[in-house]
Amino acid sequence: MAPQFFFPGSLRQLLVVLLKLTLSCAAPAKTTDGTLCTARGPASYVLVFTGHWSPQTFPKQYPLFRPPAQWSKLIAVTHNAQFRLWQEGAPASQGAQSFAEEGVTAEVVKEAREARKWRAVGSMYRTPGIPTGTGHSSTELLLQPRNPQLSLMVKVIPSPDWFVGIDSLNLCEHNDWRQEVTLDLRPFDAGTDSGFTFSSPNFPTNPPENITQITSQNPNHPANSFFYPRLSELPPLATIRLTRQDRSPVRHNSLSNHIQPHDTTPKRFSETPLDCEVSLWSSWGLCLGSCSKGGMRHRTRYILLRPANSGIPCPELEEQAECRPRNCPEKH
């Protein structure tokens, strides 16, 4: 076929491809359920993170020093369905791992900036850490229809690789933005560090496991700091509240914006009872006294975990019994 007949057809195909690409870039973002966010314009929110980690709600192995119970900085990302900061049941990314283990945000920021190149990520936000287990941090968020989802993480300090967070929360409902959202947060294990307790040493999980939620009975091991077999589920470790504003933020700083919340009244939860835990009995000791005159022998056990919040008290730690002939030391 002569070039003059082939060129117009190729040009038409090229124009069709360019038109489809332009339309796909301009199209509204699809949410996780397949619907489109067709809201007119952006939406501004105030995000308030509240920690509820106290000795009353989580008395087992509650960290009091070196370091005491506290929260890392909060890192949040606005994005669409093409990006995941973290996901339950999936392996942690390098960024999620470094943040869950050490509270370092450099890798998370790097991953989000890379995703921003293909417009999968809108903005990133950080708030300061909270030096106690109970307290507040907050920031303003600006979400665009193209990136209507919100994901965030806050590390539990101290812990091996535990965190609380939100995965791909969609704040756009078809043609409008949600007015207010409140979510209770419970702990997750990033699956990259092996440890049952808050103060467990750094021992990498090899090979790494998927991100899983920590529950009152999972991991099902008495050493687990969140192991409360009497509870059907753990109390909320923290809460996130998102409130839409009528105005846009006056000044937008995506990495250091911080606002004090208006309502700082602590949320009340019922106390979690912690039952006493004791060791196994020691071996019986030698007889004290003459066997023929009713000599006695003793054994002991010790407290592994003291009770709290009206939990079952500790049993007797010493027991004695009358000697029998086979328990008496032989005479030489």
Side-chain angles (χ1 to χ4, degrees):
M1 184 179 292
Q4 62 267 26
F5 296 106
F6 177 76
F7 179 76
S10 300
L11 181 60
R12 283 195 299 271
Q13 291 178 356
L14 179 61
L15 290 174
V16 170
V17 171
L18 290 175
L19 180 60
K20 289 182 178 179
L21 180 62
T22 303
L23 291 175
S24 64
C25 292
K30 283 191 176 183
T31 60
T32 52
D33 60 359
T35 59
L36 297 177
C37 178
T38 57
R40 294 183 178 180
S44 174
Y45 287 88
V46 172
L47 179 154
V48 179
F49 172 87
T50 305
H52 305 302
W53 188 16
S54 71
Q56 289 71 42
T57 51
F58 297 93
K60 186 175 184 180
Q61 303 168 1
Y62 188 82
L64 297 174
F65 54 88
R66 297 182 182 178
Q70 58 189 278
W71 298 98
S72 76
K73 66 191 75 173
L74 176 149
I75 184 162
V77 181
T78 62
H79 59 92
N80 58 36
Q82 299 176 6
F83 177 83
R84 292 304 267 274
L85 178 62
W86 66 276
Q87 182 181 2
E88 182 178 4
S93 66
Q94 183 61 46
Q97 175 180 350
S98 62
F99 185 79
E101 290 186 8
E102 304 173 9
V104 177
T105 61
E107 288 294 329
V108 173
V109 172
K110 180 180 178 181
E111 292 171 357
R113 285 177 175 169
E114 184 66 26
R116 185 187 286 172
K117 293 179 181 179
W118 59 83
R119 306 179 72 179
V121 163
S123 300
M124 293 172 284
Y125 302 85
R126 279 201 301 242
T127 71
I130 303 173
T132 58
T134 58
H136 302 268
S137 67
S138 59
T139 187
E140 282 190 66
L141 308 174
L142 186 65
L143 284 93
Q144 302 285 350
R146 172 165 296 280
N147 297 295
Q149 299 180 22
L150 174 68
S151 293
L152 60 86
M153 296 177 68
V154 187
K155 174 175 171 56
V156 177
I157 302 176
S159 73
D161 59 344
W162 302 342
F163 68 96
V164 296
I166 293 175
D167 172 31
S168 304
L169 173 66
N170 178 29
L171 291 170
C172 178
E173 293 182 327
H174 300 290
N175 63 347
D176 203 1
W177 296 97
R178 301 169 70 173
Q179 292 298 317
E180 184 167 314
V181 178
T182 300
L183 297 173
D184 290 332
L185 307 183
R186 291 176 171 82
F188 283 87
D189 186 327
T192 59
D193 204 332
S194 300
F196 282 129
T197 66
F198 296 118
S199 58
S200 293
N202 182 23
F203 189 76
T205 302
N206 191 15
E209 299 174 352
N210 292 337
I211 296 174
T212 57
Q213 184 175 348
I214 301 173
T215 70
S216 60
Q217 300 179 46
N218 182 39
N220 190 8
H221 194 288
N224 175 18
S225 292
F226 286 111
F227 185 68
Y228 295 93
R230 288 175 56 180
L231 301 180
S232 58
E233 66 175 3
L234 292 174
L237 195 59
T239 300
I240 284 288
R241 188 179 75 232
L242 291 153
T243 306
R244 187 181 175 188
Q245 302 181 96
D246 293 332
R247 59 177 179 81
S248 297
V250 176
R251 185 174 59 184
H252 174 65
N253 186 339
S254 62
L255 292 181
S256 62
N257 197 9
H258 180 64
I259 317 156
Q260 291 297 327
H262 298 294
D263 179 15
T264 57
T265 304
K267 191 173 182 179
R268 300 294 300 175
F269 296 101
S270 59
E271 293 185 342
T272 300
L274 183 64
D275 301 336
C276 178
E277 295 181 12
V278 295
S279 67
L280 298 175
W281 286 109
S282 66
S283 300
W284 284 105
L286 297 176
C287 289
L288 300 176
S290 171
C291 285
S292 61
K293 296 182 180 180
M296 303 298 292
R297 57 180 180 159
H298 295 76
R299 65 176 182 176
T300 60
R301 56 186 173 185
Y302 57 90
I303 297 175
L304 296 174
L305 190 65
R306 295 189 177 277
N309 304 333
S310 302
I312 297 175
C314 294
E316 293 294 331
L317 302 178
E318 184 174 348
E319 190 175 61
Q320 63 180 17
E322 187 176 352
C323 288
R324 297 177 182 178
R326 65 175 180 271
N327 301 117
C328 295
E330 296 182 0
K331 294 182 180 181
H332 300 282

